[in-house]
Amino acid sequence: MSLNTLEEIAEYIVSDGKGILAADESNPTCGKRFDSIGVESTESNRRDYREMLFRSSGMKDNIGGVILFDETIRQNAQDGTPLIELIKNQGALPGIKVDKGLAPLDSSPEETLTQGLDGLDERCKEYFTLGAKFTKWRAVIKISDDIPTDACIQANMEALARYAKIVQENNMVPMVEPEVLMDGNHSIERCYEVTSKSLNTLFKCLKDQGVNIAGTILKPNMVTSGSTAEAQASIQEVAEMTVQCLKENVPSDLPGITFLSGGQSDVNATAHLDAMNKIGGFSWKLSFSYGRALQQPSLKAWLGKEENVPQAQEALSHRALMNKLAANGAWNLDLE
Ligand code: 13P
């Protein structure tokens, strides 16, 4: 696999319906996931869990990239093989989360601005040497009656664009993630409005910074009802409104759009992706970059026990295959 340019790397990750396994939970977030199954979040337990995922047979052909956290890109498997070698052996490219998390926004402290531009160039140089081919930066936009503010959207999208430029100068593909959170009781129309404004601002900022769009991957939220809204939009409505929102805002030379799952159930995240690909009529690949929606069944099956590893790997393999089928518009509920 010789991938020399940013365009080739980006296209490879989403080729043939492949998607991304997001396994870049920070240690505190991994701790929360492990709490739910009664496992202590130690460095070796985190290693064992991720080794189990990366050795799953269903990684092959279905997963084109894996996003790692700083700790994981430096870890070895129990037999001493670097974890990133396990990923490469499965035909997937290693990626790395490079942002430093969220801090309150000065002008509106209930909102956040993603941190991490300081020292980013140096960190990128090291990650490139360690074998990373792509990177991720997550901006968070919250919805309630009087937010998001324009200042929040502008500051976060400017940071995403500066990040993307620095990453490309270091020969890695930037994944830009402007996540509009599902939290709240807002309507799907309100999610559409905020997502549309965020994407529109993002692509203006990327253009201003001279970012190569053909060497970039977008990781957006889907356009959905707020998670606590009484009226929940149907699978078909989510698919139609998401595709429309993307068509309005995303340039056609972007190679791939890989959604976050954002708290959707595993099967809903697959059903939405499938419905969008059945609609079709767009130039980018529409695929997945799921964390919870890929890992949850596997985590539940694992429970930190060696004897559960085969079932846990089967659970991840199944979700990876279901989502690859969905990225080709070839999934249906009977396959579950
Ligand atoms: P979820 O799919 O669990 O939302 O995680 C994806 C991710 O990487 C969020 O940054």
Side-chain angles (χ1 to χ4, degrees):
M1 183 167 45
S2 130
L3 301 167
N4 297 315
T5 65
L6 298 179
E7 290 86 342
E8 284 171 350
I9 293 169
E11 279 164 20
Y12 177 80
I13 292 173
V14 291
S15 54
D16 309 320
K18 286 199 282 280
I20 295 171
L21 168 62
D24 59 323
E25 298 84 4
S26 64
N27 291 347
T29 302
C30 200
K32 277 190 231 156
R33 306 276 188 268
F34 279 14
D35 280 350
S36 73
I37 55 163
V39 171
E40 199 188 341
S41 179
T42 60
E43 180 173 352
S44 67
N45 284 343
R46 291 190 292 270
R47 187 274 308 273
D48 290 350
Y49 173 64
R50 279 145 174 171
E51 176 174 354
M52 179 278 288
L53 296 178
F54 304 159
R55 286 189 190 275
S56 301
S57 61
M59 289 270 298
K60 218 167 202 124
D61 301 327
N62 302 323
I63 300 293
V66 179
I67 318 173
L68 302 170
F69 187 60
D70 181 76
E71 175 182 275
T72 322
I73 199 170
R74 304 168 193 281
Q75 278 175 322
N76 294 333
Q78 286 190 25
D79 67 4
T81 313
L83 290 184
I84 71 162
E85 289 305 316
L86 300 185
I87 292 168
K88 289 197 234 167
N89 291 341
Q90 297 276 25
L93 304 180
I96 182 83
K97 168 192 170 82
V98 300
D99 69 68
K100 293 273 192 187
L102 312 175
L105 185 68
D106 288 342
S107 61
S108 171
E110 63 179 313
E111 300 183 283
T112 58
L113 176 60
T114 303
Q115 306 294 300
L117 289 171
D118 285 350
L120 178 61
D121 185 60
E122 291 73 34
R123 297 206 300 288
C124 283
K125 288 187 167 43
E126 189 196 3
Y127 288 137
F128 181 81
T129 313
L130 290 171
K133 298 288 182 202
F134 72 104
T135 66
K136 179 189 111 170
W137 177 289
R138 173 174 177 256
V140 173
I141 307 296
K142 284 190 242 175
I143 298 181
S144 76
D145 289 345
D146 47 4
I147 58 172
T149 59
D150 290 350
C152 175
I153 292 179
Q154 188 65 32
N156 273 292
M157 301 309 138
E158 279 174 9
L160 267 169
R162 285 188 57 203
Y163 139 81
K165 185 67 186 170
I166 293 168
V167 167
Q168 288 189 336
E169 285 167 356
N170 283 285
N171 300 308
M172 294 180 287
V173 167
M175 174 177 240
V176 289
E177 180 179 9
E179 177 173 5
V180 178
L181 294 182
M182 284 173 72
D183 303 354
N185 61 3
H186 51 270
S187 65
I188 189 170
E189 287 78 15
R190 174 89 170 120
C191 179
Y192 186 105
E193 177 200 341
V194 173
T195 304
S196 186
K197 187 166 185 181
S198 301
L199 291 175
N200 186 277
T201 308
L202 173 61
F203 283 97
K204 271 195 196 128
C205 293
L206 291 172
K207 195 170 174 213
D208 289 349
Q209 286 289 331
V211 171
N212 171 7
I213 297 296
T216 301
I217 292 178
L218 173 67
K219 175 166 177 162
N221 54 286
M222 296 180 195
V223 175
T224 65
S225 312
S227 53
T228 55
E230 259 177 51
Q232 288 289 318
S234 67
I235 300 283
Q236 193 60 25
E237 282 168 326
V238 168
E240 282 171 11
M241 288 180 72
T242 304
V243 167
Q244 192 187 332
C245 186
L246 293 169
K247 278 188 173 173
E248 269 176 29
N249 293 294
V250 181
S252 58
D253 54 342
L254 184 91
I257 299 178
T258 60
F259 293 101
L260 59 96
S261 60
Q264 295 181 32
S265 74
D266 49 355
V267 175
N268 268 359
T270 304
H272 286 143
L273 180 62
D274 180 68
M276 286 186 239
N277 280 296
K278 284 192 165 95
I279 294 170
F282 35 77
S283 55
W284 352 270
K285 289 278 186 351
L286 270 198
S287 188
F288 57 94
S289 174
Y290 296 157
R292 286 162 286 178
L294 274 172
Q295 293 183 41
Q296 199 63 20
S298 189
L299 183 73
K300 288 260 163 64
W302 179 56
L303 298 175
K305 298 197 172 91
E306 187 62 33
E307 67 264 28
N308 294 337
V309 164
Q311 297 94 296
Q313 290 182 323
E314 180 46 38
L316 177 75
S317 296
H318 179 67
R319 289 263 51 86
L321 174 62
M322 291 298 104
N323 284 306
K324 185 206 182 142
L325 291 171
N328 285 303
W331 172 86
N332 66 68
L333 196 53
D334 295 338
L335 297 169
E336 290 291 339

